[in-house]
């Protein structure tokens, strides 16, 4: 796939504007730290502003980079995503790197104030809406990159178009796996739409990482599980690679594990599913207002 030369340097991101969702903990926080160390201006949309302020200070102290900006955004609510995008676009006229990292897994079925199942809303609809709201600016900023944090758990998922929100039958893992498959289908469809724009979009599996997601396990299992897991900094490595490395600059529409392109199952390459999911997602958004 031929793209414009992408000049983001892995060593110096000064002057580059970078937005990372879920930057208040785990993999997202380590991604923010790494990209801040390279000199990027970091914008962290966050639902918990008190926590975000602490993280901002920690990043500034550790990296010496003062260009860390936090803005309110609850990714489970369309209006909040729209307000964030408006606030972002009022302040910044460029966006060189968008990292859609925030993710949750609700063990029991929970509904957002928009009336949508929360895991589907945060993990798929939020990056779909946020990316679309920022896409013109991302294109104008080319060469630019979009990085979607998925999971190898996608392999256990199917897009259940008849019951995408698990209304009839809910399993936390099934809905999570579906949302992570959705991240990959979204990546592929978007990459085909962005050919020739100088904007790349890739998805990745960070590896099993000891983050707050560990809290889903019973307490007595956590210390043992942690021994076999990556640290959050290690879990952020593939995201940071895709967001910043010159080697990844020309690659788009791919799925990465351990900084290498990984093969995808047939269901994750199904263009019909990707098209259908895109239309379904547009309908969800349109029920609120136009994107
Ligand atoms: N850890 C793993 O083993 C693993 C494996 C495969 C894939 N992943 C993926 O990696 C990504 C990062 O996960 P993590 O392990 O680093 O988890 P984490 O430590 O729980 O971090 C999740 C982040 O998402 C944010 N977030 C959640 N709901 C939000 C909302 N409604 N609005 C705004 N922000 C919200 C959280 O903000 P708060 O601080 O406010 O809670 C937090 O910053 C996820 O997409 C996950 O699916 C993780």
């Amino acid at each position: 796939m031929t793209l414009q030369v992408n000049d983001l340097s892995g060593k110096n991101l000064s002057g580059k504007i970078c937005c990372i969702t879920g930057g208040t903990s785990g993999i997202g926080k380590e991604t923010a730290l790494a990209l801040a160390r390279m000199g990027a201006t970091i914008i962290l949309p966050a639902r918990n502003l008190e926590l975000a302020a602490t993280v901002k200070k920690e990043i500034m102290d550790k990296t010496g980079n003062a260009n860390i900006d936090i803005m309110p955004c609850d990714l489970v609510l369309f209006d909040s995503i729209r307000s964030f995008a408006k606030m972002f676009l009022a302040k910044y006229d460029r966006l060189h790197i968008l990292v859609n990292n925030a993710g949750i897994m609700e063990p029991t079925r929970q509904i957002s104030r928009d009336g949508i199942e929360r895991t589907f809303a945060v993990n798929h609809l939020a990056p779909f809406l946020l990316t679309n709201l920022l896409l013109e600016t991302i294109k104008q900023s080319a060469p630019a990159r979009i990085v979607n944090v998925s999971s190898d758990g996608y392999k256990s998922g199917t897009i259940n178009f008849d019951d995408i929100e698990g209304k009839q039958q809910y399993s936390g893992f099934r809905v999570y796996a579906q949302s992570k498959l959705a991240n990959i289908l979204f990546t592929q469809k978007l990459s085909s739409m962005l050919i020739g724009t100088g904007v790349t979009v890739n998805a990745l599996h960070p590896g099993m990482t000891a983050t707050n997601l560990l809290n889903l396990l019973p307490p007595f299992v956590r210390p043992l599980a942690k021994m076999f897991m990556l640290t959050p900094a290690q879990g952020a490595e593939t995201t940071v690679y895709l967001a910043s490395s010159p080697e990844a600059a020309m690659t788009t529409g791919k799925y990465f594990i351990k900084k290498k392109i990984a093969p995808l199952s047939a269901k994750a390459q199904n263009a019909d599913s990707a098209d259908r999911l895109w239309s379904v997602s547009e309908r969800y958004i349109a029920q609120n207002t136009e994107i």
Side-chain angles (χ1 to χ4, degrees):
M1 219 169 266
T2 311
L3 289 161
Q4 292 170 24
V5 173
N6 194 324
D7 68 355
L8 290 182
S9 156
K11 293 199 171 62
N12 184 5
L13 295 184
S14 61
K16 302 296 180 191
I17 312 294
C18 174
C19 174
I20 304 162
T21 68
T24 45
S25 71
I27 294 163
K29 181 172 150 185
E30 291 298 331
T31 302
L33 265 164
L35 298 180
R37 243 177 230 119
M38 296 178 197
T41 294
I42 307 288
I43 295 93
L44 300 177
R47 62 177 167 174
N48 181 340
L49 291 178
E50 210 173 307
L51 175 60
T54 312
V55 169
K56 171 180 168 167
K57 185 173 179 322
E58 184 185 335
I59 296 174
M60 285 168 54
D61 290 348
K62 283 187 175 161
T63 65
N65 183 341
N67 298 318
I68 315 296
D69 205 354
I70 53 180
M71 292 185 182
C73 181
D74 187 343
L75 291 163
V76 83
L77 297 173
F78 292 151
D79 276 353
S80 182
I81 297 170
R82 286 198 185 90
S83 300
F84 164 74
K86 208 178 262 182
M87 207 180 302
F88 176 90
L89 294 171
K91 191 162 177 186
Y92 299 97
D93 61 1
R94 291 285 177 266
L95 179 55
H96 304 98
I97 303 168
L98 171 62
V99 181
N100 288 309
N101 162 81
I104 58 168
M105 180 161 80
E106 296 286 8
T108 57
R109 194 166 185 277
Q110 307 290 326
I111 305 298
S112 74
R113 264 196 279 134
D114 289 333
I116 300 168
E117 190 283 316
R118 285 178 63 98
T119 301
F120 180 60
V122 172
N123 294 10
H124 170 64
L125 292 176
F128 178 83
L129 176 59
L130 182 64
T131 304
N132 275 296
L133 288 170
L134 300 177
L135 201 54
E136 278 316 305
T137 298
I138 296 173
K139 285 189 206 165
Q140 284 160 19
S141 314
R145 306 182 188 199
I146 300 167
V147 180
N148 294 326
V149 181
S150 178
S151 165
D152 230 30
Y154 89 83
K155 288 176 179 158
S156 307
T158 45
I159 308 292
N160 184 354
F161 286 105
D162 295 329
D163 186 22
I164 210 158
E165 295 186 57
K167 280 181 187 163
Q168 289 154 29
Q169 199 184 19
Y170 187 86
S171 141
F173 184 69
R174 192 192 67 71
V175 170
Y176 177 80
Q178 173 183 254
S179 74
K180 293 291 136 181
L181 174 59
N183 293 157
I184 296 172
L185 293 171
F186 169 58
T187 299
Q188 299 206 328
K189 168 91 181 159
L190 186 61
S191 75
S192 67
M193 292 165 69
L194 289 173
I195 288 171
T197 63
V199 181
T200 63
V201 50
N202 290 290
L204 71 113
H205 170 58
M208 290 307 292
T209 307
T211 66
N212 288 340
L213 285 187
L214 258 181
N215 296 338
L216 292 165
L217 299 174
F220 65 94
V221 180
R222 287 176 209 160
L224 183 66
K226 207 171 167 181
M227 286 169 58
F228 297 97
M229 293 174 117
L230 303 175
T231 64
Q234 290 168 329
E237 282 177 10
T238 302
T239 304
V240 173
Y241 171 79
L242 287 173
S244 64
S245 84
E247 304 92 78
M250 306 296 281
T251 307
T252 191
K254 301 292 183 203
Y255 176 64
F256 281 74
I257 302 178
K258 291 184 183 166
K259 300 192 241 179
K260 298 259 183 296
I261 294 175
L264 282 167
S265 67
K267 69 185 166 190
Q269 300 183 73
N270 186 320
D272 290 340
S273 293
D275 287 348
R276 194 169 168 198
L277 178 66
W278 191 281
S279 305
V280 167
S281 309
E282 278 182 328
R283 279 204 294 280
Y284 267 101
I285 307 298
Q287 274 164 15
N288 260 256
T289 24
E290 302 279 304
I291 54 172

